[in-house]
Amino acid sequence: MDIKIVFGKVLRQARKEKQISQERLALEADVDRSYISKLETGAYQPSMSMLFALSGVLQIRPSELVRRVEEQYGEKG
C-alpha cells in the first residue's frame, strides 16, 4: 500500500478522534478544505511544515502521526 494512502488514513482517524471536520482542520491549518481531502485520500502528501501545522491543530505530536503511519504501513507494506 502506498505510504500516502496510509498517511491519509491516519490523518482521517486522528481528525475523527478529535471530532474535527475537514473544514475546521483546513481553516486552522490555513489551507483549503480540498487540500485536506486530497491528503486524506492519498492524492497528496504533506510537507514537513504542513505535518507540524496539522498536528498542532489536532493537538498531537508530529512524531505520533508518523508512528501511526509506521505501524500501519508496516502491517500492510
Side-chain angles (χ1 to χ4, degrees), residues 27-69:
L27 179 67
E28 293 188 28
D30 197 29
V31 294
D32 193 83
R33 189 212 52 83
S34 65
Y35 180 76
I36 300 298
S37 176
K38 289 182 181 188
L39 285 174
E40 289 188 356
T41 61
Y44 290 170
Q45 65 184 25
S47 65
M48 186 70 74
S49 59
M50 183 52 57
L51 176 65
F52 274 74
L54 294 169
S55 55
V57 175
L58 295 169
Q59 299 177 332
I60 186 172
R61 290 176 164 237
S63 60
E64 176 60 18
L65 283 177
V66 172
R67 185 193 65 76
R68 292 180 186 189
V69 171

